[in-house]
Amino acid sequence: WSISNSILTINYDMSFKDAASSFDNEIYLEPDFRKELDGFIIDSAKRKLDVLLPYRMNQITETSITIPNGYKVKELPHDKEWKHPNAHIIISYEQKGNKIAYKKQIQIPDIILRKKSFSDWNRIVKELGNQYREQIVFVKQ
């Protein structure tokens, strides 16, 4: 019996309804519907012991967003990176021609979240949640 590490890649097309809002000559798009770890705040006042996270992960999500015809990018959120003993998270945005590449990588190398790390973990999760709500803004040309 042996188990080896391998890469699992899944490609698909999907429709994310109500991800964009339009006002006047602008479109506001929230690019991430998955929002992994959003709201995963540890109640450090009540929690007395370490937390066992569900599993290790190295998840990479890449999304290609087509800029709507007749529009240009007015604003892209800034790239962000967080490092913690239990998580390394990178979010990036890049315009390539008429597309925007949105990439997110979440690595969870250690599943035991130590009590002493709760405040750092909570700060990162809050900042990540705020980053998820950042919008791409398109403006009519």
Side-chain angles (χ1 to χ4, degrees):
W1 178 281
S2 87
I3 298 175
S4 64
N5 288 336
S6 62
I7 295 174
L8 172 64
T9 301
I10 301 172
N11 294 309
Y12 56 91
D13 293 325
M14 66 162 298
S15 176
F16 180 18
K17 292 185 184 263
D18 300 325
S21 300
S22 178
F23 301 99
D24 297 323
N25 292 326
E26 295 183 334
I27 297 174
Y28 299 85
L29 174 71
E30 193 172 293
D32 196 321
F33 71 92
R34 294 170 193 84
K35 297 177 177 60
E36 294 92 351
L37 301 178
D38 189 22
F40 194 161
I41 301 293
I42 307 297
D43 185 344
S44 57
K46 290 182 180 178
R47 184 78 190 198
K48 303 298 180 203
L49 301 172
D50 299 340
V51 171
L52 184 63
L53 300 172
Y55 48 84
R56 289 182 178 93
M57 77 162 63
N58 183 20
Q59 178 178 323
I60 299 171
T61 305
E62 295 179 353
T63 303
S64 178
I65 300 162
T66 302
I67 298 170
N69 288 331
Y71 285 82
K72 66 180 181 178
V73 175
K74 178 179 178 183
E75 188 176 324
L76 277 178
H78 295 287
D79 297 349
K80 293 287 276 190
E81 181 175 7
W82 297 270
K83 290 184 179 181
H84 183 275
N86 295 89
H88 184 199
I89 304 167
I90 303 170
I91 294 179
S92 66
Y93 307 81
E94 183 181 359
Q95 183 175 346
K96 298 176 182 179
N98 73 333
K99 296 196 181 287
I100 296 170
Y102 171 70
K103 184 174 179 180
K104 175 178 59 182
Q105 181 172 14
I106 299 178
Q107 295 175 320
I108 305 277
D110 184 0
I111 61 171
I112 300 173
L113 179 58
R114 306 284 180 206
K115 183 167 175 41
K116 66 182 180 184
S117 296
F118 288 176
S119 64
D120 286 337
W121 174 270
N122 287 343
R123 177 188 53 78
I124 289 170
V125 168
K126 285 177 187 175
E127 290 176 10
L128 177 62
N130 290 336
Q131 181 71 22
Y132 282 146
R133 287 173 255 308
E134 290 286 322
Q135 297 178 330
I136 298 170
V137 181
F138 302 102
V139 65
K140 197 168 228 166
Q141 293 184 10

